[in-house]
Amino acid sequence: MFYLLPVDLLQLCRCCKELRGVLMSRRSTHLWVMARSNIFLPPPECPEDLSEPAYANLLFGDSCTVGAN
């Protein structure tokens, strides 16, 4: 997992319920931070109002969440 990118973790989250549960837990935040640091030109730090997975989805996801609330 040391060489994965955030988009890879997002795809793993969509793979199965068990992986999603592990990767979306707060205990896995360090994995998301490490994946973000593997990007050639890393984006800015994660905003305080977003979780690491939500930030990864904002940067690399293929869906729009505007007005989803």
Side-chain angles (χ1 to χ4, degrees), residues 15-56:
C15 181
C16 67
K17 188 184 278 189
E18 290 80 16
L19 275 176
R20 180 176 175 80
V22 169
L23 291 173
M24 297 301 280
S25 73
R26 289 188 186 267
R27 293 180 304 206
S28 296
T29 300
H30 67 283
L31 296 174
W32 293 92
V33 172
M34 186 183 322
R36 188 166 31 90
S37 72
N38 289 334
I39 301 170
F40 179 66
L41 293 173
E45 290 297 315
C46 180
E48 291 181 12
D49 61 333
L50 289 176
S51 66
E52 285 288 338
Y55 188 46

